[in-house]
């Protein structure tokens, strides 16, 4: 545990919440961010800054996530945004000097006003991870950070097509929308499969449970492989799973020990396992046994089938098209955080081509 990075998570909440609603048409959810940070270290500080009278419902979701809410009330004629930004910057600098154990700051905003703060933190030998909604993030901010995560791409974040989005109420100061959607339900790493009538309910539940834990482990290994140059060992994987969910226990999924779970997933082709630095602590990797190429082929076939009478096929709906013939399909067992990310990987592999328009992405066979 002493080798883990200690992370301070600070959220410019108005920027994130309005960005998610206006550009993704979804309510903001904290869990995708905390899961991504759990793959990088221990989150020891969680703070969010806003005038909470505008985000009354969101407070419940953040409180469940153990976030300290910093109230920045709006005074008549004053700028709520500037007050929250200044308070957040002051707190960050205070923590950088007074809490040496914090090695990494996760600055969650798309506002370019925070760029000088990021530069100062790096001067102080602190690592900075930025998080922001892609279309509401300034182009100045990501290059200033050591790592920048687009909220849109995190596991569990699904945007709706632009044509289905509706604008909300206007803020009193004319600066955009403040209508806050109902608090989002925590994103669970389980895969929602089409409704079926299994012949044996008990066997079906057991198969679904094993599929769920396979998705959770695959997502976590993929995140660890992206965020670290070191090999991922079984002990690191177990520690990261516990950071994501302190109640995680392999016994709940029918395994007597974590090593038995790892071997089970290796037998299923989800993981590749090799000898590690210590006996009983193997190195684990996402499997490279051709299953990804087969999944890309499924996507291409779906694009061809859905595009019989038209040149381009919208990305939305393609996943359901694949699942009609392959109900067990989920991109998450291949380590991809979203279907969009999976489609981008297929484009990189030369299987399909993608083009973006106002309503989303259009695909065609390569």
């Amino acid at each position: 545990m002493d080798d883990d990075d200690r992370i301070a998570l600070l959220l410019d909440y108005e920027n994130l919440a309005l960005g998610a609603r206006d550009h993704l048409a979804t309510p903001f959810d904290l869990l995708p961010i905390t899961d991504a940070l759990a793959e990088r270290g221990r989150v020891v500080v969680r703070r969010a800054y806003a005038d909470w009278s505008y985000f009354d419902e969101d407070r419940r979701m953040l409180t469940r996530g153990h976030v300290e809410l910093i109230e920045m009330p709006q005074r008549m004629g004053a700028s709520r945004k500037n007050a929250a930004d200044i308070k957040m910057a002051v707190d960050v600098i205070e923590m950088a000097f007074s809490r040496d154990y914090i090695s990494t700051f996760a600055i969650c905003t798309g506002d370019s006003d925070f760029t000088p703060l990021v530069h100062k933190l790096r001067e102080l030998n602190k690592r900075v991870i930025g998080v922001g909604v892609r279309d509401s993030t300034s182009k100045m901010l990501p290059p200033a950070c050591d790592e920048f995560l687009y909220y849109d791409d995190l596991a569990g974040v699904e945007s709706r097509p632009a044509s289905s989005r509706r604008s909300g109420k206007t803020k009193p100061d004319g600066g955009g929308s403040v209508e806050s959607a109902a608090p989002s339900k925590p994103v669970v790493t389980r895969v929602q499969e089409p409704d079926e009538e299994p012949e044996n309910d008990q066997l079906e539940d057991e198969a679904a449970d094993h599929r769920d834990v396979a998705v959770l482990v695959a997502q976590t290994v993929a995140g660890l492989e992206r965020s670290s140059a070191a090999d991922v060992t079984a002990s690191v994987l177990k520690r990261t799973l516990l950071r994501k969910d302190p109640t995680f226990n392999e016994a709940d999924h029918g395994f007597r020990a974590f090593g038995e779970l790892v071997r089970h997933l290796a037998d299923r082709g989800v993981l590749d396992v090799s000898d590690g630095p210590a006996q009983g602590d193997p190195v684990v990797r996402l499997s490279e046994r051709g299953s990804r190429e087969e999944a890309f082929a499924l996507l291409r076939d779906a694009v061809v089938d859905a595009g019989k009478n038209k040149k381009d096929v919208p990305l939305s709906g393609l996943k359901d098209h694949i699942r009609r013939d392959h109900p067990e399909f989920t991109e998450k067992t291949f380590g991809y955080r979203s279907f969009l990310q999976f489609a981008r990987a297929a484009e990189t592999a030369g299987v399909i081509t993608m083009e973006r328009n106002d309503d989303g992405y259009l695909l065609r066979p390569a």
Side-chain angles (χ1 to χ4, degrees):
M1 184 174 289
D2 290 339
D3 295 332
D4 292 340
D5 280 345
R6 269 72 164 184
I7 301 174
L9 169 61
L10 300 111
L11 301 103
D12 177 10
Y13 194 75
E14 181 172 326
N15 182 279
L16 289 172
L18 298 186
R21 195 210 58 197
D22 293 343
H23 297 287
L24 303 178
T26 59
F28 174 78
D29 196 328
L30 177 70
L31 191 58
I33 293 178
T34 55
D35 275 357
L37 295 179
E39 295 162 359
R40 292 158 173 81
R42 293 175 58 215
V43 179
V44 295
V45 174
R46 302 184 184 200
R47 292 183 184 177
Y49 299 76
D51 182 345
W52 297 108
S53 63
Y54 290 96
F55 302 100
D56 187 57
E57 294 296 328
D58 300 54
R59 290 189 294 185
R60 301 175 191 174
M61 177 265 296
L62 293 170
T63 301
R64 288 196 300 268
H66 309 288
V67 176
E68 180 183 0
L69 306 182
I70 307 300
E71 176 71 54
M72 301 304 301
Q74 168 72 9
R75 298 193 309 274
M76 189 65 67
S79 172
R80 177 177 72 257
K81 173 185 179 297
N82 287 342
D85 290 0
I86 293 170
K87 172 62 174 170
M88 181 167 153
V90 169
D91 285 357
V92 167
I93 293 298
E94 185 271 333
M95 279 189 277
F97 280 102
S98 65
R99 306 188 188 187
D100 292 339
Y101 57 86
I102 295 179
S103 57
T104 302
F105 285 84
I107 307 296
C108 300
T109 183
D111 194 338
S112 62
D113 291 348
F114 285 95
T115 304
L117 174 65
V118 171
H119 287 311
K120 179 57 65 176
L121 287 171
R122 297 184 69 182
E123 276 185 40
L124 297 172
N125 197 30
K126 303 296 185 182
R127 185 166 182 262
V128 181
I129 300 173
V131 183
V133 177
R134 187 182 298 273
D135 288 339
S136 63
T137 294
S138 165
K139 295 187 184 302
M140 296 175 58
L141 188 60
C145 300
D146 293 290
E147 182 181 9
F148 197 90
L149 306 175
Y150 284 111
Y151 176 76
D152 322 37
D153 297 334
L154 298 180
V157 177
E158 297 290 343
S159 63
R160 293 200 295 271
S163 58
S164 69
R165 301 175 190 177
R166 299 177 181 177
S167 59
K169 300 176 183 178
T170 303
K171 285 193 289 187
D173 59 2
S177 176
V178 298
E179 183 182 73
S180 176
S184 54
K185 184 179 180 180
V187 180
V188 183
T189 51
R190 296 179 176 251
V191 182
Q192 183 67 39
E193 301 294 343
D195 292 334
E196 299 177 356
E197 294 183 3
E199 296 179 2
N200 187 311
D201 290 344
Q202 184 175 358
L203 291 177
E204 182 69 16
D205 289 344
E206 182 179 341
D209 188 56
H210 284 192
R211 181 170 57 244
D212 297 340
V213 74
V215 169
L216 174 60
V217 171
Q219 284 184 320
T220 304
V221 172
L224 289 169
E225 289 180 339
R226 281 190 296 267
S227 62
S228 174
D231 287 336
V232 179
T233 62
S235 60
V236 170
L237 173 60
K238 175 66 178 289
R239 197 158 64 239
T240 305
L241 291 170
L242 286 170
R243 283 203 294 258
K244 286 187 172 184
D245 178 8
T247 67
F248 175 83
N249 187 337
E250 60 275 2
D252 294 337
H253 302 279
F255 301 96
R256 293 169 296 179
F258 190 69
E260 184 177 322
L261 169 60
V262 169
R263 289 191 297 273
H264 170 77
L265 296 179
D267 292 341
R268 288 188 54 199
V270 176
L271 298 177
D272 285 335
V273 179
S274 59
D275 291 339
Q279 187 174 5
D281 191 16
V283 171
V284 295
R285 300 180 181 87
L286 283 179
S287 178
E288 295 290 345
R289 302 181 199 174
S291 55
R292 185 174 60 174
E293 286 70 24
E294 294 171 6
F296 288 165
L298 291 179
L299 175 60
R300 185 184 188 281
D301 291 346
V303 172
V304 171
D305 186 50
K308 288 178 179 177
N309 300 318
K310 49 189 174 182
K311 182 178 179 182
D312 298 315
V313 178
L315 178 66
S316 60
L318 272 178
K319 186 172 180 178
D320 291 335
H321 194 99
I322 295 174
R323 281 183 164 178
R324 280 203 292 268
D325 296 324
H326 303 275
E328 77 288 349
F329 171 82
T330 170
E331 72 283 351
K332 293 177 175 62
T333 55
F334 307 105
Y336 297 104
R337 294 171 290 188
S338 66
F339 191 67
L340 172 59
Q341 192 180 72
F342 171 74
R344 286 173 176 159
E347 182 183 34
T348 301
V351 176
I352 58 159
T353 60
M354 296 176 61
E355 179 181 336
R356 188 172 185 179
N357 65 9
D358 292 339
D359 291 330
Y361 289 90
L362 297 175
L363 282 65
R364 68 183 70 163

